[in-house]
Amino acid sequence: MKIYFATNNLHKVEEVQKMLSGDFEILSLKDLGNTLEIPETGSTLEENSLLKARYLHNTFGMNCFADDTGLEVEALDGAPGVYSARYAGKPGDDCKNVDMLLENLKNEPNRNARFRTIITLINDGREKQFEGVVNGKIIDERRGNNGFGYDPVFVPNGYVITFAEMTAGEKNRISHRGISIRKFADFLLTLMK
Ligand code: IMP
């Protein structure tokens, strides 16, 4: 079964493909000759994920899915949330985003945060969402060189190292994205039965 992913990010496509059996072929916007970024105008991760999936479904009429991820910080009322990629302004810059986060949390004792991913599947016109969450803490300076985004300042609960100090395999086992993809993959497999 072919299923289209509303992304231009081939790393994400590869990550999802690896977690699915050979029954599924994951294709991206690039396979449709479309390299445009789909506008993300929603105010929640759920809305943005749905918007992207609907855009693809309405434009090309095929089975598809989309994802959206954000870092939600308790002391910042859930910010940066849907604005995680462009927290310090456009164009998005990981380094500036982390600087801004640390600045906004200066002298803040509550360091609780979570990463959340929402995947939206549209299959035969039916919409279904899958959530992955990982809770943790924002530390006050960067540690580690792996990963991307806010990884150097995020320590998942139960760990003493940041996401950026983990291997990709270690991170995927516990991460928001890993959890949501596994739920999604398990559901897709039920469709094959
Ligand atoms: P996206 O929806 O996957 O493109 O993620 C939006 C933004 O959230 C990214 O640009 C990053 O700033 C942040 N982000 C998403 N996933 C992660 C992660 O696993 N680690 C660190 N930052 C992330």
Side-chain angles (χ1 to χ4, degrees):
M1 175 178 165
K2 283 189 180 176
I3 181 157
Y4 284 82
F5 189 176
T7 186
N8 285 310
N9 183 334
L10 295 183
H11 289 295
K12 284 190 180 179
V13 175
E14 200 183 317
E15 195 180 351
V16 177
Q17 184 70 73
K18 269 194 206 150
M19 295 180 69
L20 293 170
S21 70
D23 295 324
F24 297 94
E25 185 185 355
I26 305 299
L27 298 156
S28 74
L29 294 178
K30 291 206 165 83
D31 296 298
L32 294 165
N34 182 347
T35 52
L36 289 178
E37 289 291 333
I38 303 172
E40 298 184 22
T41 51
S43 55
T44 63
L45 297 172
E46 283 80 358
E47 264 175 44
N48 267 345
S49 174
L50 187 61
L51 270 174
K52 290 189 266 187
R54 280 187 183 160
Y55 171 92
L56 194 53
H57 186 69
N58 293 341
T59 311
F60 299 101
M62 54 206 20
N63 289 339
C64 63
F65 66 100
D67 72 335
D68 203 40
T69 295
L71 174 70
E72 299 174 333
V73 180
E74 202 171 274
L76 302 175
D77 297 325
V82 279
Y83 304 107
S84 294
R86 49 198 152 107
Y87 189 38
K90 281 186 179 176
D93 178 323
D94 283 352
C95 183
K96 288 186 185 156
N97 288 341
V98 171
D99 285 345
M100 175 133 175
L101 178 68
L102 295 182
E103 183 59 31
N104 289 344
L105 286 177
K106 219 172 177 175
N107 303 322
E108 171 57 59
N110 178 1
R111 314 296 295 192
N112 294 336
R114 63 181 187 177
F115 277 113
R116 213 156 64 85
T117 296
I118 302 289
I119 293 178
T120 302
L121 167 69
I122 305 184
N123 173 57
D124 292 339
R126 283 189 301 273
E127 296 170 347
K128 190 167 172 64
Q129 294 194 311
F130 306 84
E131 183 186 48
V133 180
V134 59
N135 290 294
K137 301 240 179 305
I138 303 298
I139 54 171
D140 54 19
E141 55 188 351
R142 293 169 166 85
R143 282 198 338 236
N145 298 309
N146 302 331
F148 69 104
Y150 302 91
D151 281 348
V153 292
F154 184 83
V155 175
N157 286 350
Y159 291 78
V160 292
I161 58 174
T162 66
F163 266 172
E165 292 174 301
M166 295 183 180
T167 62
E170 281 172 328
K171 180 184 162 188
N172 282 343
R173 266 196 296 283
I174 59 165
S175 79
H176 46 300
R177 191 170 299 97
I179 293 167
S180 63
I181 294 174
R182 280 190 290 278
K183 286 184 185 172
F184 169 66
D186 286 349
F187 179 78
L188 284 184
L189 290 175
T190 66
L191 296 179
M192 300 304 289
K193 287 180 185 154

